[in-house]
Amino acid sequence: MQPDKGRDWTVPVIVGAVLLVLVLVLCVAGGAAAYLLARRGDPAPVAAASPSRSPSPAAAAPSPSPASPARCLVGRWKETSYTGNADIYGANVQLTGSGALFDFRADGTLVAVHKTTRRGTSSGDRYEVIHNGTITISYEADDKMIHYSNVRATGTTTWKVNGSTRGRQNLSSTLDPERYTCKGDKLRLYGENFAVEADRILPPGRPV
C-alpha cells in the first residue's frame, strides 16, 4: 500500500470561509433591520395588559352662583311708610302710618311686630286703625313675589272714628301674596290695596 498523502485542506478552508461570510452577512442584515425599525418608531410588541381606569380629572370648584333675590329679604326691617285703602264702617279711607317691625328669617318664618296706628280722613271724619300685637307667618319668595301660609297672631286691632272707639277684634292677617323689591337696605312691599317701604335694621357696629 502506498502511504496516504497529506490531506488537502483547501476545500474545507474555503467552505468555512464561505460560512463565516454568510454568518457575518446575516448579522449585519439583522442589525440593519433593527436600526431601520428603530428609525421608523415601530414599537416592539408587548403582552396585552388589562385596561386600567384613567385618572379622573380633578373636579373644578363650582363658580359661585349669584345670590337669590329672595335672600335680600332675610333680616330685620323697620317700616318707614305705609299707604293703604280700607273700607271702614261704609267709608273708603286712605290710611297712612309707619313703625311696624318685620323679621324675615332664613328658615322661612316672618315675625311682624305691630304697635302702629294707621290714620286717614273721609268726608270730614277722622279714622284710626290701631294694631297692637305680633303676627308669625310662614313665607316663600321668588324674585318677585312672597307667598304666605300658616298665620299665627296674638294681639288686637282697634278702630276709632273721630277719637271714639267703634270696634275691636283679634289681630289677624290675610294670606294674599305680595309683590316686592329688595335692594341692599331698602325693601318695598306691594299688595292690592297697600304699599310699604322699610329700611333694614343694621347690626351694632355697622355704618348707617
Side-chain angles (χ1 to χ4, degrees):
M1 292 179 60
Q2 292 181 354
D4 290 338
K5 296 181 179 179
R7 179 172 295 178
D8 188 356
W9 294 98
T10 303
V11 173
V13 170
I14 292 175
V15 173
V18 170
L19 291 176
L20 179 60
V21 170
L22 289 175
V23 172
L24 291 175
V25 169
L26 290 174
C27 291
V28 172
Y35 174 77
L36 290 176
L37 286 174
R39 287 290 302 272
R40 288 170 55 189
D42 294 340
V46 295
S50 60
S52 60
R53 182 175 298 174
S54 57
S56 301
S63 57
S65 57
S68 166
R71 288 189 60 81
C72 180
L73 285 171
V74 176
R76 301 184 67 208
W77 305 84
K78 183 174 183 179
E79 179 186 68
T80 58
S81 173
Y82 170 91
T83 302
N85 294 318
D87 290 325
I88 304 176
Y89 302 117
N92 185 270
V93 184
Q94 184 179 65
L95 299 170
T96 60
S98 62
L101 299 176
F102 307 116
D103 184 3
F104 283 91
R105 299 176 180 176
D107 65 357
T109 301
L110 165 62
V111 178
V113 178
H114 288 274
K115 292 183 178 180
T116 57
T117 300
R118 317 299 195 190
R119 295 182 173 90
T121 60
S122 178
S123 301
D125 293 320
R126 295 177 289 108
Y127 295 84
E128 295 174 85
V129 181
I130 303 166
H131 301 300
N132 188 1
T134 300
I135 295 172
T136 302
I137 190 169
S138 300
Y139 78 93
E140 292 183 0
D142 54 27
D143 59 345
K144 293 181 181 179
M145 300 291 296
I146 306 174
H147 300 270
Y148 297 103
S149 61
N150 303 322
V151 179
R152 301 175 298 282
T154 59
T156 60
T157 296
T158 303
W159 289 270
K160 289 185 177 183
V161 180
N162 295 324
S164 298
T165 299
R166 289 284 301 272
R168 180 179 288 113
Q169 72 176 30
N170 291 334
L171 183 65
S172 62
S173 177
T174 70
L175 294 178
D176 296 337
E178 296 174 354
R179 291 179 292 120
Y180 81 98
T181 61
C182 184
K183 185 175 182 180
D185 297 327
K186 298 291 183 181
L187 172 64
R188 290 177 178 163
L189 304 170
Y190 306 90
E192 184 177 353
N193 297 308
F194 76 92
V196 168
E197 294 184 2
D199 288 347
R200 191 185 299 275
I201 299 175
L202 301 178
R206 285 276 300 276
V208 178

